[in-house]
Amino acid sequence: MGSPEHERGFDSARVAAVAPILQTGCRAAPAARCASFAWTHEMPMLDPGAKLQAMVDGYLKGNIDDGEDGVGWLHAQSPRMLVDIDGRRRSWWAPRSSELLECLRVSPQAPAAVKAAALFLAGADGNGRTRQAALQRMDALAGRLTLSSALLRCNDWVPEVRVVAQQVVEVLLSRCSIDDVLAAWPLAVRLQDAQRVDADWRRDTLEGWLSAPSQRAVLGGLLVHRDSLTRLSAHAIAFDVHPERVAIRARALRDSDPRIARMAFQDLLDEGDPSQVVEQCSIALTAPSSQVRASALRTLVAHEVEGIDVFVEDALFDRARAVRSLAAFLVRQRHATPAIELWRSALAQQTAGRWRVALEALADHAVAEDVALLRSLYPRVTARHRRNCVRGWIRAEGGAGLALLRVALEEPGRSIHELLTHAQADWVAELDAPRLLAFCHDGPSPVAQTGLLRLLPHVPLWQHLELLLDAVPQRQDERAWHLRLVENWLRVSEGYSPLSAARRQALLTRLEHGGHDLSNAMAQRLAEAVRQA
């Protein structure tokens, strides 16, 4: 049996490495702590700067691949990813250590990127004193990572850390480059919904700094930032303080984020003069946001601008249903040509740039007289547009009839089958035994036959069985098809369906006395299903 030291896993090398720490207490020599970390992670003897980078790589283990540059990886991460890394570093299972700060003290010549990465990781430590100490070093190393870390710590749960973080943010904003501020600013926007941040400080310091005339370049960069929430926050400030408000509003109306476009439109209504309202509403008619397009059309109609009839007619062919519906209402209100006539005309003439939208619009408003047009279009359009033909056909007839069913079931995709599944099944009343048997040889393809098998369970269960018993196949292909229909019924027969005693007895009598064209074995299976119902 070995010595107690041996049993605890000590060896002479480790004892030598930790000796300076044991001799000097918890405030051991920084170099000794770095040496201890290097031994623990089995690193060769390196200069302090290389050791610091190796420590950063070690802390990022699990995020980076073996041999990957952890410093470069950390600098390349998005604000959202930095939030995730920060949260993981502060998890209950994450190690708490001040080793990064200790090695920073003995690595003054380390590259700035390495020191910034080390400070970010130390600023996310689970120990509040370590986070505070890291923050106190950040003001001398202005950059994206240090500013991001300071912004994250403004919502720290330790009040003392928050105070230091606010002071560091103020210093870094004055020292960071514009690109660094733009890269880190989404984290400043994130503070709007934070629970522990000082709301007055955020408003007076962060938003106040961004509102200053000297920060126009930063504000301009944020207005076109890739993060939509950052753009939204920047526009809220720009509409209050920027001298080029009208031009900013015109661009914002076309922003891909509907919140920004709506904010710009509301600013137009609140602050724009009549000429600006008319001019920029015309621009807003082409905005990505359908709500903005509809609001702009409504505003132009209220102002009775010149050429409003053209604007309304163009809106009838808008890609959004809400805008088309508004335009159809305005057409009725102005006693102009009914919208449905314009949609029919565009379809009949195959008007370029309009007929596809006209087909979708007609599908929303089709009446009985449109069935012929929709039926003629069906074989001439792509699968995407055939769905609109079926949708309009169902609306025009008030349900799905057998003629529609025979056409639509030829489409292999699921979207049309879903329309048929949810439509009123008028075809059930039309489908008699001869038509059901003829489905295997009078035109429908195997695709349509499979589709019908999927739809038949929508027929009431006992009506479905009576239909199968009424069918008397005369041809070989009809017999094979009839067998598939019966097997299909057996698969769905386990579901509950009310069955009166009289109807049960009638079905059993037919099955037991041969009032059908089924084999005895199949008749017995059907009879057993009826008895168990």
Side-chain angles (χ1 to χ4, degrees), residues 386-428:
R386 285 199 289 271
R387 184 182 188 280
N388 281 325
C389 289
V390 171
R391 192 164 60 85
W393 195 341
I394 292 172
R395 177 182 174 83
E397 293 188 337
L402 188 59
L404 168 60
L405 195 70
R406 290 175 66 93
V407 172
L409 285 179
E410 298 292 346
E411 189 65 36
R414 290 188 303 174
S415 61
I416 289 181
H417 284 254
E418 289 175 357
L419 287 175
L420 296 174
T421 299
H422 294 96
Q424 180 175 314
D426 294 342
W427 55 270
V428 172

Side-chain angles (χ1 to χ4, degrees), residues 37-38 40-43 50-71 73-74 89 93 95 99-100 117-118 121:
F37 179 90
T40 303
H41 293 267
E42 300 181 356
M43 295 187 302
K51 288 178 183 176
L52 184 61
Q53 177 151 0
M55 290 178 70
V56 171
D57 293 345
Y59 276 104
L60 292 175
K61 187 176 182 180
N63 295 105
I64 60 174
D65 297 327
D66 292 340
E68 186 177 359
D69 177 16
V71 171
W73 180 87
L74 188 59
R89 284 281 296 129
W93 46 263
E99 290 173 327
L100 279 168
L121 293 174

Side-chain angles (χ1 to χ4, degrees), residues 234-262:
H235 278 90
I237 294 174
F239 288 148
D240 285 338
V241 303
H242 206 290
E244 298 179 7
R245 180 178 194 160
V246 176
I248 291 173
R249 185 198 297 141
R251 290 197 302 270
L253 287 170
R254 297 194 184 97
D255 196 279
S256 59
D257 190 314
R259 297 170 297 180
I260 297 173
R262 290 196 299 266

Side-chain angles (χ1 to χ4, degrees), residues 220-341:
L222 294 176
L223 291 173
V224 294
H225 199 280
R226 63 185 299 178
D227 179 67
S228 60
L229 193 59
T230 301
R231 293 200 309 276
L232 179 65
S233 175
H235 278 90
I237 294 174
F239 288 148
D240 285 338
V241 303
H242 206 290
E244 298 179 7
R245 180 178 194 160
V246 176
I248 291 173
R249 185 198 297 141
R251 290 197 302 270
L253 287 170
R254 297 194 184 97
D255 196 279
S256 59
D257 190 314
R259 297 170 297 180
I260 297 173
R262 290 196 299 266
M263 177 191 290
F265 191 81
Q266 189 59 50
D267 183 75
L268 173 64
L269 296 181
D270 294 342
E271 304 295 336
D273 58 49
S275 62
Q276 289 176 356
V277 170
V278 172
E279 177 185 356
Q280 295 198 331
C281 276
S282 301
I283 295 173
L285 288 175
T286 60
S289 167
S290 60
Q291 185 175 344
V292 170
R293 296 198 302 274
S295 299
L297 180 63
R298 197 178 289 112
T299 303
L300 289 173
V301 169
H303 283 74
E304 282 295 335
V305 298
E306 183 179 354
I308 186 59
D309 290 333
V310 175
F311 290 145
V312 173
E313 182 176 332
D314 288 343
L316 287 172
F317 297 91
D318 192 278
R319 60 186 179 275
R321 180 180 287 113
V323 180
R324 294 196 302 268
S325 298
L326 172 63
F329 167 76
L330 293 173
V331 163
R332 291 194 302 272
Q333 194 177 52
R334 300 171 70 81
H335 305 290
T337 304
I340 198 167
E341 294 294 339

